[in-house]
Amino acid sequence: MSGAALGLEIVFVFFLALFLLHRYGDFKKQHRLVIIATLLAWYLCFLIVFILPLDVSTTIYNRCKLAANSSPAESNGSYVTLAPSKQKCFKPWSYIPNGIMPIFWRVVYWTSQFLTWILLPFMQSYARSGGFSITGKIKTALIENAIYYGTYLLIFGAFLIYVAVNPNFNLQWNQLQTIGIAAANTWGLFLLVLLLGYGLVEIPRSHWNGAKRGYLLMKTYFKAAKLMTEKADAEENLEDIMEEVRKVSESIKYNHPLRKCVDTILKKCPTEYQERMGRNMDDYEDFDERQNSYPSEKSLVKLHKQVIYSVQRHRRTQVQWQILLEQAFYLEDVAKNETSATRQFVHTFHSQEPENKIIQYFYTPTVEWYWECLLRPWFYRVLAVVLATFSVIVVWSECTFFSTQPVLSLFAVFIQLAEKTYNYIYIEMACFLTIFFLSICVYSTVFRIRVFNYYYLASHHQTDAYSLLFSGMLFCRLTPPLCLNFLGLTHMDATISHKNTQPTAYTSIMGSMRVLSFIADGFYIYYPMLVVILCIATYFSLGTRCLNLLGFQQFMGDSEMTSDLIDEGKELIRREKRKRQRQEEGENRRREWKERYGNRDDSARNRVAHTDQKESSFSETNTNRPLSKYTRSNGRTERDRIELLQDAEPLDFNADSINDDPLELDSGRYQPGGRYLSMSRSKVFDDV
């Protein structure tokens, strides 16, 4: 099993990152480099979280071996027997051989740092650039990142000059590397505490409120009112941008040098706008003979950037509106079915997507009623209590993890108790649950926050390239300090425990923070205590109240504006519900009409075919016989009956002539122009 656990987790984490990226990104429309860079950033960050518990169990086993080697010992198989205490150091099932983890952590860490500080910021500017060529986009990205990169180079250069001038400092390359790592982790820890303080309170509270059907429905109405405003704004913005594109497209004709740029912009527009602009286009026109002022390439680049942003925003609001409607309809169905006497869940509208037959077989209407109306609220309440307990333990441990005598951090107590018995399964499960809960609190906040319309992670493939790359940057900057904070909570970091023991492989690549004592003994220990203040502020919704005062409407139960938006959202949902009901009623009527009269149409077609067959057989048998004087009239009667069954088109009174027998094409009275000699339009309408 040596190394097998590491390989399995590497594969599992890759598919997990791929699944999440597929949920938020769009593999078909977004650039491949954006998808690959974001996938690599997410994958490396998730990999650190999943592999770190294996590093902890391997380190505990290595400490046991060192303690055994420093005293009389006897080797026996895969463990070491201590002579004084007769204690056995069992090798963990997930043991990773020496030398693998340091190389693994070094590659993962420095790759993630290269992504977050160099590559991803450059790709962000490249993705938002409106350039029409790769060279133009690279030039724009370099210009936009010049200030970003220049600031870091200026700070680093000033620090090097200070170290070179001051004789008290004699730093080597390893120490400079440690200082760079400490600076990056300090920035990450500053942001980590802010996000962690929000997630520790909001995640349990959101699950507790998830058990309140009335609360969820009111919040959905509130979201509907806000989303409708955003949707209308996006449509208006798109109309304005498309009007500018239309003017540019009409002014720059096909033989203009910038026409290729205009065609590139038109390809990014929605299909209906492309067709509308294409119908209004003239043929080739010499632009030199006209004295119009043509837009410059720089203005076209700006317009291209605006088109990309407005189209993406419009598409996202449309999809989110449909998703919100489905959610509102479902919550209203749950409220109606709670008082159902049959205990079978009845949907107002059928699902537009085909459901899995296996799910339909097990998840019957009765099972759905018991789950949605009885079990789900209690499940969410129990889960909220468990998450709240974890949050309290995390807050307590963040405030007391620096205390080693006595050990006050509960996570450190759990790990040390398991370490005495070398229960590696318990150690790995405890470490995994701890760091997984911390990661959920931090990462879920990253997925929830929204910086106006510049950064917003929207599910159902509606996240733009800029937001995906920005999320990858945040993950790469938050994960290393998150792992260091976890090792500090469990006292696996020698800087916190103040013990001369073997460090974990992850801590060894970070270097000794003693180079900067004011960071190691000050900021890393006392700054995480601010999580208490942030949790209190989140519990009383101070941030929400401040945003509400600034004009950014937030959901607050005691606000008059919130009540007005809820009423507006309820009316919008009711309107959309009536519209969908009318659509379904129309479809049902058409389906019933088809089922009722479809058989008659089929029988009519069969009679027509049978009549044609009889007529053809009759003509074959009477080929050589002279026609009687009644043969024509009888055939005429059959043809009239056939014409009625075939629903012949009405006569065209605007034509040059009228044919009273469309089937009698072999008659001598019919001329190629479609005109009978015995009838003319002037004679027919003389009395009119």
Side-chain angles (χ1 to χ4, degrees):
M1 294 296 292
S2 178
L6 179 62
L8 290 175
E9 292 198 0
I10 289 175
V11 176
F12 171 76
V13 173
F14 174 78
F15 285 103
L16 176 62
L18 187 65
F19 169 76
L20 291 177
L21 183 58
H22 177 266
R23 176 177 174 81
Y24 288 90
D26 192 346
F27 291 171
K28 297 181 180 179
K29 297 182 180 180
Q30 289 171 343
H31 200 279
R32 293 182 180 179
L33 293 179
V34 174
I35 297 296
I36 293 174
T38 307
L39 177 62
L40 183 60
W42 289 16
Y43 173 60
L44 294 178
C45 295
F46 297 163
L47 196 61
I48 295 175
V49 173
F50 277 81
I51 301 299
L52 194 59
L54 304 183
D55 190 9
V56 172
S57 62
T58 302
T59 302
I60 292 176
Y61 173 71
N62 291 333
R63 289 178 181 179
C64 179
K65 288 201 304 181
L66 289 177
N69 293 332
S70 62
S71 61
E74 297 177 358
S75 179
N76 184 12
S78 63
Y79 56 87
V80 178
T81 305
L82 296 179
S85 59
K86 303 295 183 182
Q87 191 173 10
K88 298 178 181 180
C89 297
F90 290 96
K91 181 183 291 187
W93 70 278
S94 59
Y95 175 75
I96 301 174
N98 294 330
I100 295 180
M101 290 306 299
I103 298 175
F104 175 80
W105 287 130
R106 192 171 289 110
V107 172
V108 170
Y109 177 77
W110 289 112
T111 303
S112 64
Q113 294 305 301
F114 172 76
L115 289 173
T116 186
W117 296 106
I118 298 178
L119 183 61
L120 293 182
F122 177 81
M123 292 189 66
Q124 273 187 301
S125 301
Y126 184 90
R128 289 183 68 90
S129 174
F132 299 101
S133 62
I134 298 177
T135 306
K137 291 184 177 182
I138 292 176
K139 182 180 178 180
T140 304
L142 289 176
I143 294 174
E144 291 183 357
N145 286 272
I147 300 176
Y148 179 81
Y149 294 128
T151 303
Y152 288 109
L153 290 177
L154 181 63
I155 296 174
F156 186 71
F159 176 77
L160 289 180
I161 294 173
Y162 174 75
V163 171
V165 173
N166 196 337
N168 296 327
F169 287 95
N170 186 16
L171 296 179
Q172 300 177 355
W173 169 251
N174 293 334
Q175 294 175 333
L176 288 176
Q177 178 180 339
T178 302
I179 291 174
I181 294 174
N185 290 336
T186 301
W187 189 95
L189 184 63
F190 176 79
L191 184 61
L192 174 69
V193 174
L194 296 178
L195 300 179
L196 185 62
Y198 176 82
L200 288 173
V201 176
E202 189 61 29
I203 290 179
R205 181 164 59 185
S206 63
H207 284 80
W208 181 265
N209 292 331
K212 304 176 182 178
R213 297 298 182 187
Y215 175 87
L216 289 179
L217 192 56
M218 294 299 106
K219 193 171 183 178
T220 304
Y221 290 151
F222 178 83
K223 290 181 180 179
K226 290 190 63 177
L227 186 58
M228 175 55 73
T229 304
E230 183 182 357
K231 180 171 171 286
D233 185 37
E235 292 175 353
E236 183 179 356
N237 185 28
L238 182 63
E239 289 287 345
D240 296 339
I241 298 298
M242 291 299 104
E243 180 64 22
E244 295 183 12
V245 173
R246 184 190 63 80
K247 293 179 181 178
V248 171
S249 179
E250 291 179 354
S251 62
I252 299 179
K253 299 301 180 180
Y254 290 101
N255 56 346
H256 196 281
L258 296 178
R259 184 61 200 183
K260 294 182 179 179
C261 301
V262 176
D263 292 338
T264 303
I265 296 176
L266 290 176
K267 291 179 181 178
K268 304 295 177 63
C269 299
T271 306
E272 58 271 17
Y273 290 98
Q274 294 182 18
E275 296 176 354
R276 191 184 308 170
M277 296 175 191
R279 289 193 297 266
N280 296 331
M281 286 301 299
D282 298 330
D283 293 334
Y284 289 88
E285 183 176 347
D286 191 0
F287 66 91
D288 292 331
E289 297 179 358
R290 302 178 62 184
Q291 301 298 326
N292 293 344
S293 59
Y294 297 99
S296 62
E297 185 176 359
K298 186 176 181 180
S299 61
L300 291 180
V301 169
K302 183 179 179 180
L303 180 61
H304 187 203
K305 184 177 181 179
Q306 292 176 348
V307 167
I308 294 174
Y309 170 73
S310 60
V311 171
Q312 172 66 28
R313 185 187 175 195
H314 178 262
R315 185 185 303 115
R316 186 186 66 215
T317 53
Q318 294 291 334
V319 174
Q320 288 179 334
W321 176 251
Q322 296 299 326
I323 295 173
L324 191 63
L325 287 179
E326 296 294 337
Q327 182 181 358
F329 295 157
Y330 190 77
L331 290 175
E332 290 179 348
D333 291 342
V334 172
K336 292 180 180 178
N337 283 274
E338 285 181 349
T339 57
S340 176
T342 59
R343 296 191 175 185
Q344 287 189 352
F345 200 91
V346 179
H347 294 270
T348 303
F349 303 107
H350 296 287
S351 179
Q352 298 179 355
E353 298 180 358
E355 297 182 358
N356 192 351
K357 294 183 178 180
I358 299 177
I359 298 177
Q360 290 180 349
Y361 180 77
F362 291 99
Y363 197 61
T364 60
T366 303
V367 175
E368 186 177 3
W369 186 89
Y370 276 100
W371 167 249
E372 292 293 342
C373 301
L374 293 180
L375 300 179
R376 187 171 183 175
W378 287 103
F379 174 78
Y380 271 67
R381 293 189 184 98
V382 173
L383 183 59
V385 172
V386 173
L387 294 175
T389 305
F390 266 96
S391 298
V392 172
I393 295 175
V394 170
V395 173
W396 171 262
S397 300
E398 290 284 359
C399 297
T400 59
F401 73 94
F402 59 88
S403 176
T404 57
Q405 294 295 333
V407 178
L408 298 179
S409 175
L410 296 179
F411 295 115
V413 172
F414 297 153
I415 298 300
Q416 290 179 5
L417 289 176
E419 185 178 358
K420 293 179 180 179
T421 59
Y422 297 98
N423 190 348
Y424 296 109
I425 298 295
Y426 175 81
I427 292 174
E428 293 176 2
M429 290 301 299
C431 291
F432 176 75
L433 291 177
T434 303
I435 194 172
F436 183 74
F437 179 73
L438 294 175
S439 303
I440 289 296
C441 293
V442 175
Y443 293 161
S444 64
T445 308
V446 174
F447 281 97
R448 289 186 181 189
I449 61 176
R450 177 177 181 178
V451 184
F452 299 103
N453 287 318
Y454 294 99
Y455 170 73
Y456 181 37
L457 289 176
S459 58
H460 297 82
H461 322 290
Q462 299 304 314
T463 305
D464 57 354
Y466 183 88
S467 299
L468 288 176
L469 295 171
F470 189 75
S471 66
M473 289 173 52
L474 288 180
F475 286 162
C476 291
R477 296 182 186 183
L478 291 171
T479 304
L482 173 66
C483 295
L484 284 179
N485 182 257
F486 161 73
L487 294 175
L489 294 178
T490 56
H491 287 186
M492 294 299 295
D493 190 355
T495 306
I496 304 299
S497 61
H498 303 288
K499 294 180 180 180
N500 190 15
T501 57
Q502 181 182 3
T504 60
Y506 186 82
T507 309
S508 63
I509 68 166
M510 295 294 177
S512 177
M513 297 301 170
R514 295 299 176 186
V515 178
L516 301 175
S517 59
F518 67 94
I519 294 180
D521 298 333
F523 184 79
Y524 280 175
I525 293 178
Y526 297 105
Y527 178 72
M529 295 182 184
L530 292 178
V531 73
V532 180
I533 300 176
L534 294 172
C535 288
I536 295 174
T538 306
Y539 180 79
F540 290 103
S541 303
L542 296 182
T544 301
R545 297 179 187 276
C546 292
L547 290 175
N548 204 19
L549 291 176
L550 294 175
F552 301 98
Q553 300 299 330
Q554 304 295 317
F555 184 76
M556 298 178 61
D558 54 351
S559 175
E560 183 178 356
M561 182 62 69
T562 301
S563 302
D564 295 339
L565 289 176
I566 289 175
D567 295 337
E568 181 182 352
K570 186 183 297 185
E571 182 61 30
L572 290 173
I573 297 298
R574 187 181 295 113
R575 187 184 309 166
E576 293 292 334
K577 193 172 184 178
R578 289 197 300 265
K579 184 187 300 183
R580 184 169 295 187
Q581 286 176 347
R582 288 195 297 269
Q583 291 177 355
E584 287 199 352
E585 289 175 358
E587 293 178 358
N588 292 333
R589 284 196 298 267
R590 284 192 294 270
R591 190 183 303 110
E592 292 178 358
W593 180 271
K594 186 176 180 180
E595 292 176 355
R596 179 178 301 177
Y597 298 101
N599 297 330
R600 298 185 180 181
D601 295 339
D602 294 339
S603 60
R605 294 190 186 95
N606 294 332
R607 287 196 300 269
V608 170
H610 181 67
T611 305
D612 291 339
Q613 185 177 4
K614 289 178 62 179
E615 187 177 9
S616 61
S617 61
F618 177 80
S619 61
E620 290 176 358
T621 54
N622 297 281
T623 303
N624 299 323
R625 294 173 58 186
L627 297 177
S628 62
K629 61 180 181 179
Y630 299 103
T631 302
R632 178 176 177 85
S633 60
N634 294 335
R636 176 70 174 270
T637 305
E638 287 293 326
R639 291 195 187 100
D640 292 341
R641 188 162 61 89
I642 295 171
E643 181 180 351
L644 291 175
L645 292 175
Q646 288 180 340
D647 295 332
E649 295 183 358
L651 298 177
D652 187 4
F653 292 101
N654 295 324
D656 293 336
S657 63
I658 300 176
N659 183 6
D660 64 340
D661 192 3
L663 297 177
E664 194 174 350
L665 297 179
D666 55 347
S667 175
R669 300 173 60 192
Y670 183 74
Q671 293 184 350
R675 184 184 187 93
Y676 280 90
L677 296 177
S678 61
M679 298 180 64
S680 65
R681 185 171 56 185
S682 58
K683 294 181 179 180
V684 172
F685 295 100
D686 283 343
D687 297 334
V688 178

